[in-house]
Amino acid sequence: MALIVQKYGGTSVGNTDRIKNVADRVAKYRAQGDQVVVVVSAMSGVTDGLIKLAKDIAPLPSEREMDMLLATGEQQTIALTAIALHAVNIPAVSLTGAQAGIVTDGVHTKAKIHNITPKRVHDLLKAGNVVIVAGFQGETEDGQITTLGRGGSDLTAIALAAALKADLCQIYTDVDGVYTADPRLVPSATKLAEISYDEMLELASLGAKVMQSRSVEFAKKFGVVFEVRSSLNDNPGTIVKEETKSMEDIVVRGVALDKNQAKVTLVGVPDKPGVAARIFKALGDAVVNVDMIVQNISHGTGIPATDLSFTVDKPDLLKAQKVIAALQKDIGFKDVLADENIGKLSIVGVGMKSHTGVAGKMFDVLAREGVNIGMISTSEIKISVIIDLAKGAQATAAVHKAFIG
Ligand code: ADP
Ligand code: ASP
Ligand code: MG
């Protein structure tokens, strides 16, 4: 008998037939004598639909109220999944994140899990139930409903698997596992049998939305081995685990394109100590995640001026612009430009630590495709470039072909 945490994403619970399919899959594990905790997302399109409703009313809605609104998506699915299990004679109880003991900090829309006290989950399992937990949500110590960032049901599942010391953690989605690139973008992409936490973390934070990056961070920290697999067939998926020596033989494990970035450029920023600190501290205080930063060579006489560009997640662009606008008079830069038509193309692999010439090859492929590179950033196991969004698919396919095939 094993304790299994299974997470089903939006497409896997996208209509009532899919929810019945989830119940049938859970029933098979129950028939083997396993205990099952099911984490579900909102039905596909529901979270986006709720965000749209709010933005139709106000472009920058209160983040507390957004959490109150978005948490309802998952609450529908837990009840429907419990009803589907009851229909096949399996005792099941649904719980909100708060009822499952998920306690978070108070950063609305991007809350971090502080701790989980899964007593109620344990008790319900012991009494013979399947326990269904709403993904993506928790509650602060003082009872405010929070959400864990887009794709946050992955985090709920991994954190619960850690807290419950589950024997297995399975992330069911609408593809067979983690591929060398998004299979919808690069049809020749192949499924990986296994991938290291670090590679999965880079791919996830660089746009491969198959896993939420914070969930992978959590899995690495607590050593939760998990499998990404399809809810629509029984093919083996991809195991995500600690790096092994043989993983270094492959230079590029995967390619990712992030279309969810925007670039902000401050024109004519006085080039003197403390200015960058003020800009990025203000953005940090507003909980805007800044990724790449590029400062140009300064020019002019007197106090020289420079242009400063940085990237943020697209949904944070309006907030970032508001923060920057409030600093303009004080700091004295000339203008602020925003560009949403960018893509971040990345290659990832632990093998880069021991192979040379990888960046040169990537840039050469892009040059031959006529793709201009706007910004570059690297780490030990990844190279990312900002390019024109319109050329994103073409560039991703070319880079995938050159490194993977
Ligand atoms: P879920 O609703 O199950 O959480 P998501 O839509 O969040 O599913 O993630 C699954 C999607 O991630 C796939 O449909 C696929 O298009 C996309 N994806 C992006 N990069 C990859 C990759 N490297 N491997 C597999 N899927 C990927
Ligand atoms: N429903 C949330 C979202 O769409 C969380 C999730 O699906 O994991 O982002
Ligand atoms: Mg997801």
Side-chain angles (χ1 to χ4, degrees), residues 114-166:
H114 266 176
N115 57 71
I116 302 186
T117 317
K119 182 174 178 327
R120 201 185 306 210
V121 178
H122 274 305
D123 291 348
L124 287 167
L125 284 173
K126 222 192 254 163
N129 297 289
V130 169
V131 181
I132 301 152
V133 179
F136 177 56
Q137 53 171 263
E139 194 179 67
T140 60
E141 297 280 3
D142 59 352
Q144 302 291 330
I145 291 176
T146 51
T147 64
L148 310 175
R150 294 307 304 267
S153 301
D154 296 333
L155 178 57
T156 306
I158 289 187
L160 267 177
L164 294 166
K165 300 192 174 57

Side-chain angles (χ1 to χ4, degrees), residues 173-219:
T173 183
D174 56 4
V175 281
D176 282 6
V178 180
Y179 281 65
T180 51
D182 185 344
R184 293 178 211 285
L185 198 63
V186 181
S188 62
T190 50
K191 186 178 70 186
L192 296 161
E194 57 178 27
I195 184 170
S196 69
Y197 290 128
D198 286 339
E199 289 169 323
M200 186 70 251
L201 184 55
E202 288 285 10
L203 281 177
S205 30
L206 296 168
K209 72 164 188 159
V210 62
M211 285 301 296
Q212 186 213 31
S213 61
R214 280 174 47 195
S215 71
V216 184
E217 223 173 307
F218 197 102

